[in-house]
Amino acid sequence: MTNPSLFKNSSWLSAIILVVLAAVSQAQEPLVFTSPEQEARFNQLTTELRCLVCQNQNLADSDAPLAHDLRVEIYNMMMAGQDNEQIKSFLVNRYGDFVLYRPAMQGNTLALWLLPGILLGLGAVVLFFIIRSRNRRLANQQEQGSS
């Protein structure tokens, strides 16, 4: 006959081992910079670039595995002597303009730049006509009520 508490303890031990192994596998090597200026440049670059998984976070703030891979890629490119424009060009060629938080104004990104202003203007025009119509209705009701 087997002891049930032995299996209970071993299952807890197995669970703890799995949690520790999962945590260790997620550990990331820290990036080592040769100067504070280089680290500041890296931080500036990763805050200007969008995480493709999270879409509303920059690479510096994202915990997504792809964001980690892109941070390492940017680090390696910096260590290879590439400047910011070369790094951004590489990422845009690979992932498109979406990777940039502030894409350049060109034909394919024109809607990104103009659409917010157009929608705001359209909303203001609609609001103007709604208010004008309501005011006219109220004026007509007051005229009919006083007659």
Side-chain angles (χ1 to χ4, degrees):
M1 195 160 230
T2 59
N3 186 351
S5 65
L6 177 66
F7 290 115
K8 189 185 249 185
N9 290 339
S10 67
S11 64
W12 277 105
L13 182 61
S14 298
I16 290 171
I17 290 172
L18 284 174
V19 168
V20 169
L21 288 176
V24 170
S25 70
Q26 293 295 322
Q28 300 170 358
E29 290 291 320
L31 302 175
V32 179
F33 298 96
T34 57
S35 69
E37 292 82 17
Q38 196 176 50
E39 185 173 2
R41 180 178 157 218
F42 175 82
N43 290 333
Q44 185 236 348
L45 260 174
T46 56
T47 55
E48 289 179 7
L49 298 168
R50 182 186 316 270
C51 173
L52 300 167
V53 176
C54 306
Q55 296 184 1
N56 222 10
Q57 277 186 312
N58 58 33
L59 287 178
D61 295 336
S62 176
D63 291 329
L66 178 62
H68 170 69
D69 294 345
L70 288 175
R71 286 191 298 265
V72 170
E73 183 73 29
I74 291 168
Y75 174 79
N76 291 336
M77 292 173 81
M78 284 178 60
M79 293 300 132
Q82 295 187 13
D83 65 14
N84 290 6
E85 289 308 312
Q86 290 173 316
I87 294 171
K88 287 181 186 178
S89 293
F90 169 78
L91 292 171
V92 167
N93 288 336
R94 193 171 191 185
Y95 299 108
D97 288 319
F98 184 74
V99 76
L100 300 174
Y101 260 118
R102 287 173 278 160
M105 188 180 286
Q106 53 195 24
N108 62 345
T109 61
L110 202 56
L112 292 173
W113 288 100
L114 297 179
L115 202 56
I118 291 170
L119 290 175
L120 185 63
L122 186 62
V125 168
V126 168
L127 186 63
F128 169 77
F129 282 112
I130 289 172
I131 291 173
R132 191 172 87 175
S133 170
R134 182 177 293 157
N135 287 340
R136 284 183 178 174
R137 247 185 316 191
L138 288 174
N140 286 340
Q141 287 175 353
Q142 286 177 352
E143 282 179 16
Q144 289 173 357
S146 63
S147 309

